[in-house]
Amino acid sequence: GIEVYEEGKKDPVEIVNNALKYAKEKGYILKEASKATPDLILIASGSEIAPTMKAQAELESKGIATRVVSMPCIELFEAQNEKYKNSVIPTKVRNRICIEAGSSYSWYKYAGIDGKVIGIDVFGTSGPAKELFNYYGFTAENIVKTAEEMLNK
């Protein structure tokens, strides 16, 4: 299997490099939650991973067991068997947030009926990436806020 990120245990760049061959195959658990059944699953890919990892650390520090799933390719993930898909995104964990700096359309399947998608459903906005990430809520702070609102409903 793939290594998961643990603060201070291993260089995250090394883990990502080791994960590249795995990522070519399917979505995977990038960072496991602090308990066997997570309270929340965050699903992201690419540039959205950094703020998602920061959010995961903050949520864990608040006692919210949070798994991070890297989903580099939906199509390849969908090609996997149900056992594998359910091991990464268990159906029994209904609190999920997908973070996608693009259309949210295809991510609702993974967020589920109780989940949320942080995405962009407009066309034509331009500007520096950091400003756009802040504007559209692709920040650790917004991910944490969204998670807390979801869990406190």
Side-chain angles (χ1 to χ4, degrees):
I2 189 154
E3 299 174 87
V4 294
Y5 176 77
E6 292 183 54
E7 190 71 40
K9 299 255 179 171
K10 200 166 194 183
D11 178 16
V13 173
E14 182 181 342
I15 292 172
V16 170
N17 286 336
N18 291 339
L20 287 176
K21 71 176 179 17
Y22 208 80
K24 290 177 186 173
E25 298 173 19
K26 52 197 159 211
Y28 59 93
I29 299 168
L30 181 61
K31 176 78 168 104
E32 188 55 272
S34 57
K35 63 183 189 182
T37 301
D39 299 318
L40 173 70
I41 299 174
L42 302 176
I43 305 167
S45 65
S47 58
E48 298 89 331
I49 290 290
T52 300
M53 293 298 286
K54 287 180 185 174
Q56 190 267 356
E58 185 173 339
L59 289 162
E60 284 281 347
S61 77
K62 294 179 176 193
I64 301 168
T66 306
R67 173 183 288 181
V68 175
V69 171
S70 177
M71 183 74 73
C73 182
I74 289 172
E75 292 81 6
L76 292 175
F77 183 73
E78 283 302 316
Q80 305 309 307
N81 64 47
E82 290 303 314
K83 182 179 178 184
Y84 178 80
K85 291 190 284 188
N86 195 50
S87 74
V88 175
I89 306 172
T91 54
K92 66 183 173 183
V93 180
R94 294 176 58 150
N95 295 313
R96 305 177 196 160
I97 302 172
C98 297
I99 303 96
E100 169 58 34
S103 172
S104 63
Y105 177 76
S106 56
W107 292 92
Y108 283 99
K109 175 178 183 173
Y110 304 102
I113 195 164
D114 296 324
K116 303 271 185 201
V117 178
I118 299 171
I120 302 173
D121 292 315
V122 298
F123 179 76
T125 309
S126 64
K130 185 175 182 175
E131 288 178 26
L132 293 175
F133 260 53
N134 288 330
Y135 180 80
Y136 285 108
F138 300 110
T139 63
E141 296 78 17
N142 186 54
I143 297 166
V144 169
K145 178 181 171 222
T146 302
E148 290 174 336
E149 288 169 358
M150 176 189 300
L151 294 165
N152 291 322
K153 64 179 175 180

